[in-house]
Amino acid sequence: MSTTECGTDLKLVKATAPVRAGLVQTAVFVRIKSAWRAIRNRIAAHPLSELDDHMLDDIGLSRRDVVIALDRSGALDDPSLLLAKAARTRARTRFARPPAR
């Protein structure tokens, strides 16, 4: 018959430095990922400025919405958030029911 050694390894001292370093690395990774997504969405939003007004109207945007989204968002900000908000607002006002009399 064989026996195996069983025991509990107690760590009574907290290892704060590696945990903090891991959190810092995670925070840096999240920031880089967020900046990359914003740049990618900015690149994807630029062709919208080349569409004519009828095409923009089909997707619920106006020329002004595109210009504002690209101008107001910084280089590392995501213009797609502003464009989505503008399209939602336009859809609410366009397809809203008239008030009942």
Side-chain angles (χ1 to χ4, degrees), residues 22-96:
L23 290 176
V24 169
Q25 289 174 351
T26 303
V28 169
F29 179 73
V30 168
R31 291 292 249 181
I32 290 171
K33 187 176 175 183
S34 176
W36 175 248
R37 183 178 349 164
I39 291 169
R40 193 177 62 222
N41 288 343
R42 177 170 282 288
I43 291 169
H46 270 284
L48 289 175
S49 62
E50 297 174 5
L51 297 177
D52 65 1
D53 292 336
H54 295 292
M55 291 179 175
L56 288 172
D57 190 43
D58 286 344
I59 59 174
L61 294 172
S62 69
R63 172 102 26 230
R64 183 173 184 269
D65 295 333
V66 175
V67 170
I68 287 173
L70 292 175
D71 286 346
R72 286 193 183 166
S73 59
L76 296 178
D77 294 333
D78 193 352
S80 65
L81 300 174
L82 295 172
L83 291 170
K85 183 178 178 182
R88 276 194 305 274
T89 303
R90 189 174 307 280
R92 281 189 198 118
T93 58
R94 179 180 289 176
F95 300 115

